[in-house]
Amino acid sequence: MKRFAAISLSLMLTVLGPVAPALASDLNDQVTTFTLDNGMDVVVVEDHRAPVVVHMVWYRAGSADETPGVSGVAHFLEHLLFKATENMESGELSKTVAENGGTDNAFTAYDYTAYYQRVAADRLELMMKMESDRMVNLKLSESDIATERNVIIEERNQRTENSAGALYREQAMAAQYLNHRYGVPIIGWKHEMEGLSRQAALDYYKQFYTPNNAILVVAGDVTPDEVRTLADRYYGVIPPNPDLPERARPQEPPQTGERRIIFRDPRVAQPYVSRSYLAPERDSGDQEKAAALTMLAEILGGGQTSVLNEKLQFGNKKALYASAFYDGSALDDTTFGIYIVPVPGLGLQEAEDALDQAIAEFMEEGVDPDQLERIRTQIRASQIYARDDVSAVARLYGAGLTQGLTVEDVQAWPDILQAVTAEDIMQAARDVFDHREKSVTGWLQTQEMTQ
Amino acid sequence: MIRFVAVFAMTVFAALPLRAEVKIQEVTSAGGITAWLVEEHSIPFVALELRFRGGTSLDLPGKRGATNLMAGLLEEGAGDLDARGFAREVDSLAAGFDYGAYDDTFTVSAKFLTENRAEAIDLLRLSLVEPTFEQDAIDRVRQQVLSNIRSNKTDPDDIAGEAFDLRVYGDHPYATPGQGTEESVTALTRDDIVTAWQNALVRDRLYIGVVGDITAEELKVMLDDLLGGLPETGPDLPPVAELAFDGGTHVQEFDTPQSVVRFGQPGMSQEDPDFFAAFLLNTIIGGGGFDSVLMTEVREKRGLTYGVYSYLVDKDLAKLWIGSVSSANDRVAEAISVVRDEWAKIAAEGVTEEQLEDAKKFLTGSYPLRFDGNGPIANIIVGMQIQGMPIDYAATRNDRVNAVTLEQVNRVAAELMDPEKLTFVVAGKPEGLDGTSN
C-alpha cells in the first residue's frame, strides 16, 4: 500500500517519483527557447487551457556555490530578496502579488535558487517589473538581517532540529561528500547561520544575481512573442556581469574508504538502515549512465512489484518497506541509495544483511523483462500526464538548465530512458554496487538500542 | 522557501474556485448514479474523484483505525488478483489509484489513459467491489500502520495535533487519530475490516467528480460498471461534536528544540450568512498566501517563527477556527503571547477598510487561478458537491465576497472571536509556560 510507504520515504533522501518525469514530443512542441542580448536564457511553455501564468527566475547559484564558512547564505539571501529594494518597500512584492490574486514563493537547492509567482496571465508584465527590480536593486538594512536570521533559524528548527530523520540525513550527506559542498546542508549549519552577516549576503548577491547567470521560465497562457517583448523591456536592459566566474566547484577526490555512521536519537520510533553510493549525474550530451541508474532505481524500488519489495516485504518478510533512490538531476556527482525499514523485532544488522542478500540475488538473477516493459509503459504514460501540469514542466527546464543541461538534453531524456536495456541496467548496478569504498552505510536508531 | 506550503490547509474550507469557461455537466446513469463532469479532450486521460461521506468517523466503538486499515488494503488483493498481481495490472496500464480515509470522507482518486480506460475501470471496480482482504495482506499492512502510529508519538507536530484534538473534541471520533492506536489496530480482525468496507463505501453517500477525455454518454456507462455493485446505504453518521475550549495553554512535554503549537476556538459553518465575512476576517488574520496580521507580527517584526497560520475548519460535525505556530523553546512563550494579544485586539477593535479591501482583492483575484489541471478541477467539483454548493456557484461567488462590508466583518470579529476560549496546546519543552497556565 503506497499511502503508508510515503511515511518512510519521507525519511529518506531525494526520492524518485513513481516514474521519472519525462517530456513527450507533443510536450516539446509547447516549448520555445531563446536568449536575450545580455545572456539571460528564456524558456516559454505554452498551455492555453486557463488564463494563468507561472513566472519564474532561476539563478545558476545554490548552496553548493557558497564560500566555505557562510553555509546557508544562499538560502538566507533568498529570504532577504523579499525585503526592500530601491523601488519597493519591504514585503511590497508579495503584497502586490496577493492584491492581484496571485501567489508567490521561492526555493533554494544545492545548484540553484529560484523565485516564482503564479498570477492571471494579464499580470505578467507587473511580475517582470518587480522580479527584474530585485535582481539588482536590493537594499538591506541591519534590522532586516537580525530579524530574518531568526526566521531562518526557526526554519531550520522546524525542518531539521525537530526531526531525527532530517538530522541523520545531514550527517549521512556530510559523510558521503569528502570535499564537495553537497556535504553541507542547504539551509546551513546552525553555528554558521547564527553568524550570517549583511555583507555575506550582499557578496553572494553581487556575484551571482545577474542576467547572464539567470534563466527566465514562463509557463501558461502566453505566447513566446509576448514573453520576448516583455523580457527585453524588463530583463534585457540589465547589464550582464562580465566578471561572472566560471562555475567550477570543489570536486570529490577518489573515495577509497567505506564509511559507516550510527545515529542515535530518542525521537527515533522506527529504526532503519540506508546506504548511499557516489554515482554519476546527468551530463549534457551524456545522460545514458544516469538513465540506466534511473531505471535501476525503478527496478529495485519502484512500487509494489519492485525487486526489493518482492524479496524483502513479500518474500522473507523482513521489511516493512524497502526501496531505492536516485536523482540524476545535479550539476556534480550525485548518489544512488537503497534502504530497508525492518519489521519489529529484527535488528539493524540482520536488516542490513537482508538488504545485501537481496542485492546479491538481484545481481545473479538480472532484470525481469516484464517488469522493465511495465516501467517503459509508465514512462510513456507520464508524458501524457505531464501535459496536465505545465508548472512541473517549467520546473524541469529551470532545474535542467541550472544543472548543466541544455534544452535539447531535457527534451531527449524520455527517449534515452526508453532506450535503456536490461544489460545497461545490470552494468549500472555493477558500477554502483561493486564500489563499497564510495558508500556510506547508516543506521538510524533510538538511543536505547545497544547493538 | 520563504514560506512553508502548509499541506494540512487542504483539509479545511478553501474558497471554491472556478473559471468562467469551465462547463460542469450533471450526469446521471441508468442505474441512478450522479456525477459532475467537465469534458476536456485535449489530453487523452481522465481524472476521477470519488468521495464517500463518513470516513473514519464511521469506525465502530473499539474499532478505531478499521476504516483507515481498510483503505490501505483495497489495492492489496481483489478478485482473482493478489497484492502483487493487482499492482502489476495497474502498472501495466499506467493507471494511478489512491485510496484515503479522512475524518469525514473516504476518498478514491484515479487517473487513467483513454487508450485503456475500460481495463482501468474494471481494475478499479475490482478493488472497490471485490477486495479480498487476505489475512496475509492484513497482517503486513497492519505492521506498516503500527510503525506509523509509533512514529507519530515522537513527532512534535503529531503530538501537538493529537493532544489538541483530544482536548477539544471530547468523546467524539474526531478526538483520536483515524489511524487508531497500537492497541485498537492490533486487535482488528478481518471481520472488522470487512464491516468497515461495507459501512464506508455506500452509494447514498457518494459524490463524484470527473474531468478529462470522456463524454457524458461514456461516463454514464462507466458509472454503473464501476459503482453499481456497491451497497446502497450504510449506518448513521455520529452526532455533532461538542467542543471544549477552556482558553488555557496546555503543555505536552516532549524533548525537542522547537515547540509546536496548535491553537483554536469555535468556528463558523459555511452555511452561516456571515461565513464570507468570517472567511475574509481569517484571511486578514492568518490566511496563507497573504500578508496576514499574524505573519507580520510574529514573523516579520519579531522573527519568532518561520510560519504562523490560521484556518476556518468546516468539518461535517464540528466548526472550528484553528491555527498553528512553531518557535524555539525559549521563544515560544512570546509567540503565544503575541498571538493572544492580536486575537484580543482584533476582537475588540476590528480590522481596517484597507485590510478588508486587500483581502477581497486577494480572494477574488485568486479565485479563477486554482483550476490548474484535470486532477485539481476534479477535486474542486467533487468538493462543491459534498459541501452542498449549487452547480453554478462560481457565477455568484466573487459577488458574495465583494458584498461583505467592513461593519459586517467587524461585527463578526466581535461576536465570533473569543479570546477567553482561545486554547493553546504546546508540544515541546517550552520555557516560561506553566503546564496548564491561562
Side-chain angles (χ1 to χ4, degrees):
Chain A
M1 57 167 309
K2 37 187 180 270
R3 304 173 55 243
F4 298 123
I7 300 303
S8 85
L9 292 179
S10 71
L11 299 171
M12 303 309 300
L13 291 158
T14 319
V15 174
L16 193 69
V19 284
L23 306 177
S25 55
D26 279 1
L27 199 46
N28 294 347
D29 294 342
Q30 294 170 237
V31 177
T32 308
T33 61
F34 50 92
T35 303
L36 304 184
D37 292 342
N38 59 10
M40 186 167 179
D41 291 322
V42 183
V43 178
V44 182
V45 187
E46 290 183 76
D47 177 11
H48 300 286
R49 289 181 299 162
V52 182
V53 70
V54 176
H55 169 253
M56 315 178 102
V57 169
W58 295 67
Y59 293 96
R60 292 181 173 94
S63 67
D65 297 284
E66 293 165 347
T67 308
V70 291
S71 64
V73 75
H75 170 255
F76 187 35
L77 178 64
E78 177 223 295
H79 276 237
L80 294 170
L81 243 71
F82 292 82
K83 303 296 183 188
T85 71
E86 283 165 25
N87 301 303
M88 290 189 287
E89 293 173 21
S90 183
E92 183 178 335
L93 185 147
S94 291
K95 190 169 191 293
T96 306
V97 173
E99 281 174 5
N100 283 278
T103 51
D104 70 324
N105 216 325
F107 44 91
T108 307
Y110 292 118
D111 295 328
Y112 52 78
T113 310
Y115 301 81
Y116 71 90
Q117 302 87 32
R118 187 166 180 279
V119 291
D122 61 2
R123 314 295 158 93
L124 178 61
E125 178 167 6
L126 180 58
M127 299 303 115
M128 287 205 193
K129 185 178 174 194
M130 295 192 295
E131 193 64 75
S132 61
D133 178 45
R134 68 174 167 179
M135 182 182 285
V136 283
N137 292 327
L138 190 63
K139 272 195 325 190
L140 291 179
S141 72
E142 284 295 345
S143 72
D144 283 341
I145 294 292
T147 309
E148 202 61 29
R149 197 167 48 210
N150 283 331
V151 170
I152 57 168
I153 287 168
E154 290 294 353
E155 183 176 354
R156 182 180 161 90
N157 282 341
Q158 185 171 328
R159 292 179 185 279
T160 309
E161 302 288 344
N162 257 22
S163 164
L167 289 166
Y168 162 75
R169 288 195 297 276
E170 224 174 52
Q171 296 289 313
M173 284 294 274
Q176 180 72 68
Y177 289 96
L178 305 175
N179 195 44
H180 195 282
R181 295 284 292 182
Y182 289 163
V184 177
I186 295 165
I187 200 162
W189 297 117
K190 191 166 190 173
H191 68 287
E192 292 188 352
M193 294 170 71
E194 286 164 349
L196 287 176
S197 66
R198 177 174 177 272
Q199 194 55 49
L202 285 176
D203 287 347
Y204 189 95
Y205 181 63
K206 286 183 178 144
Q207 181 166 5
F208 294 117
Y209 281 55
T210 170
N212 48 327
N213 198 38
I215 299 145
L216 170 67
V217 185
V218 181
D221 190 18
V222 287
T223 64
D225 284 346
E226 288 167 336
V227 173
R228 185 188 284 272
T229 303
L230 293 174
D232 276 333
R233 185 176 307 157
Y234 292 101
Y235 294 107
V237 294
I238 301 173
N241 175 7
D243 300 325
L244 182 70
E246 192 175 342
R247 207 176 177 194
R249 307 182 295 192
Q251 297 297 306
E252 282 299 287
Q255 295 201 352
T256 54
E258 176 186 351
R259 282 136 284 160
R260 300 185 68 84
I261 62 172
I262 296 178
F263 187 89
R264 296 185 183 87
D265 191 311
R267 293 172 295 177
V268 174
Q270 177 60 68
Y272 65 85
V273 177
S274 70
R275 185 183 301 132
S276 61
Y277 299 80
L278 202 67
E281 78 288 0
R282 289 166 66 184
D283 284 325
S284 185
D286 181 15
Q287 302 188 85
E288 284 74 14
K289 276 185 188 155
L293 288 168
T294 301
M295 298 297 272
L296 175 65
E298 281 296 313
I299 293 279
L300 290 177
Q304 286 288 59
T305 61
S306 66
V307 168
L308 293 177
N309 252 345
E310 283 277 352
K311 291 183 181 298
L312 297 168
Q313 203 191 120
F314 292 98
N316 58 27
K317 303 189 178 187
K318 291 188 173 175
L320 286 177
Y321 315 101
S323 193
F325 54 92
Y326 171 75
D327 184 357
S329 300
L331 184 58
D332 298 315
D333 284 352
T334 184
T335 58
F336 187 98
I338 49 178
Y339 67 91
I340 176 170
V341 182
V343 294
L346 191 77
L348 292 182
Q349 185 61 56
E350 290 99 317
E352 184 179 337
D353 292 345
L355 187 61
D356 285 339
Q357 177 65 27
I359 295 294
E361 288 172 15
F362 168 70
M363 299 307 291
E364 289 292 316
E365 295 159 3
V367 172
D368 171 6
D370 291 342
Q371 191 196 359
L372 181 57
E373 195 47 47
R374 286 197 298 273
I375 292 169
R376 286 179 177 150
T377 301
Q378 288 180 278
I379 290 170
R380 272 193 296 273
S382 75
Q383 299 164 25
I384 293 172
Y385 294 132
R387 289 167 54 198
D388 201 35
D389 185 358
V390 287
S391 297
V393 176
R395 289 194 294 276
L396 286 183
Y397 280 94
L401 297 189
T402 52
Q403 292 177 318
L405 301 180
T406 63
V407 168
E408 293 72 29
D409 292 324
V410 174
Q411 299 191 337
W413 180 242
D415 288 340
I416 294 173
L417 283 175
Q418 284 295 342
V420 171
T421 65
E423 181 44 44
D424 295 335
I425 293 169
M426 296 313 295
Q427 185 58 49
R430 284 188 290 273
D431 290 345
V432 168
F433 295 130
D434 288 352
H435 293 278
R436 282 286 281 269
E437 74 279 6
K438 296 183 183 178
S439 75
V440 176
T441 305
W443 290 10
L444 178 72
Q445 60 186 50
T446 58
Q447 217 137 34
E448 288 74 27
M449 288 180 69
T450 51
Q451 66 161 333
Chain B
M1 281 194 292
I2 185 79
R3 278 181 295 279
F4 179 67
V5 180
V7 276
F8 66 96
M10 300 287 286
T11 61
V12 303
F13 182 90
L16 291 166
L18 213 58
R19 63 186 158 124
E21 304 94 289
V22 168
K23 292 197 188 74
I24 309 174
Q25 310 171 56
E26 186 170 283
V27 172
T28 301
S29 71
I33 299 170
T34 297
W36 286 9
L37 165 67
V38 176
E39 289 190 45
E40 172 59 68
H41 297 286
S42 65
I43 308 175
F45 85 100
V46 170
L48 166 72
E49 293 288 338
L50 307 180
R51 298 282 181 281
F52 298 89
R53 192 187 296 278
T56 60
S57 296
L58 290 169
D59 280 343
L60 297 174
K63 306 297 182 188
R64 196 60 170 151
T67 308
N68 178 68
L69 182 54
M70 180 271 290
L73 285 163
L74 293 182
E75 63 182 346
E76 295 282 342
D80 295 333
L81 299 168
D82 66 7
R84 286 170 284 179
F86 187 81
R88 274 192 288 271
E89 293 295 320
V90 176
D91 289 351
S92 301
L93 299 173
F97 304 149
D98 272 306
Y99 312 85
Y102 302 92
D103 279 357
D104 288 329
T105 51
F106 186 89
T107 69
V108 180
S109 303
K111 62 177 183 180
F112 40 86
L113 302 174
T114 302
E115 66 188 49
N116 54 31
R117 185 166 70 214
E119 295 98 312
I121 287 298
D122 193 48
L123 207 51
L124 184 61
R125 184 196 64 82
L126 267 192
S127 71
L128 299 178
V129 181
E130 295 183 41
T132 48
F133 300 122
E134 288 165 28
Q135 192 62 45
D136 186 60
I138 293 173
D139 293 340
R140 188 163 36 78
V141 177
R142 186 203 318 266
Q143 288 298 339
Q144 296 174 335
V145 175
L146 289 171
S147 168
N148 200 19
I149 291 171
R150 285 190 290 269
S151 293
N152 288 358
K153 285 182 176 173
T154 59
D155 180 329
D157 213 49
D158 291 308
I159 294 169
E162 292 182 16
F164 182 85
D165 290 349
L166 195 59
R167 177 165 291 281
V168 165
Y169 290 115
D171 57 4
H172 196 274
Y174 289 161
T176 59
Q179 63 180 349
T181 64
E182 284 190 82
E183 295 70 31
S184 71
V185 171
T186 301
L188 290 172
T189 65
R190 182 175 184 280
D191 285 350
D192 296 330
I193 306 297
V194 171
T195 301
W197 166 63
Q198 289 167 336
N199 289 350
L201 274 67
V202 300
R203 278 165 44 187
D204 69 351
R205 284 204 281 263
L206 170 60
Y207 304 84
I208 307 167
V210 182
V211 180
D213 186 23
I214 188 168
T215 66
E217 290 310 309
E218 290 167 333
L219 177 59
K220 286 178 189 176
V221 176
M222 189 190 94
L223 291 173
D224 286 337
D225 287 349
L226 178 64
L227 302 160
L230 291 176
E232 176 60 29
T233 192
D236 290 342
L237 298 174
V240 168
E242 290 189 29
L243 303 178
F245 293 102
D246 66 4
T249 300
H250 305 277
V251 176
Q252 199 73 25
E253 280 270 343
F254 182 67
D255 195 358
T256 200
Q258 187 189 57
S259 291
V260 178
V261 182
R262 289 278 182 286
F263 56 91
Q265 64 140 71
M268 180 182 280
S269 167
Q270 52 143 328
E271 286 160 18
D272 192 297
D274 282 331
F275 181 78
F276 275 96
F279 192 60
L280 280 158
L281 184 61
N282 177 67
T283 302
I284 294 166
I285 293 172
F290 189 77
D291 195 17
S292 71
V293 170
L294 292 180
M295 278 292 257
T296 302
E297 295 297 326
V298 184
R299 173 173 152 157
E300 297 305 321
K301 287 189 186 168
R302 296 177 177 83
L304 290 170
T305 190
Y306 176 48
V308 54
Y309 305 96
S310 65
Y311 316 91
L312 284 166
V313 177
D314 182 30
K315 288 180 187 285
D316 282 350
L317 305 167
K319 314 300 171 191
L320 291 83
W321 195 350
I322 65 164
S324 64
V325 63
S326 304
S327 296
N329 287 330
D330 61 350
R331 309 205 303 162
V332 69
E334 187 184 352
I336 290 172
S337 168
V338 174
V339 173
R340 281 199 183 277
D341 288 350
E342 291 303 315
W343 209 266
K345 188 177 155 202
I346 295 172
E349 300 171 13
V351 299
T352 67
E353 187 70 52
E354 189 195 350
Q355 286 174 312
L356 178 59
E357 284 311 306
D358 286 350
K360 282 182 179 177
K361 280 191 235 166
F362 173 63
L363 289 183
T364 57
S366 60
Y367 187 59
L369 301 190
R370 301 191 186 183
F371 274 65
D372 57 353
N374 292 359
I377 297 171
N379 254 311
I380 288 161
I381 64 175
V382 80
M384 285 174 67
Q385 293 172 77
I386 206 161
Q387 290 180 327
M389 305 286 191
I391 200 163
D392 62 350
Y393 170 78
T396 63
R397 185 267 189 188
N398 273 0
D399 293 342
R400 294 164 74 179
V401 173
N402 283 325
V404 173
T405 64
L406 185 64
E407 290 68 33
Q408 190 187 2
V409 169
N410 286 338
R411 176 177 55 75
V412 169
E415 289 171 2
L416 182 62
M417 295 183 80
D418 191 346
E420 299 294 309
K421 284 194 173 165
L422 191 64
T423 304
F424 289 71
V425 171
V426 186
K429 287 191 95 171
E431 295 173 17
L433 281 179
D434 293 337
T436 53
S437 68
N438 187 356

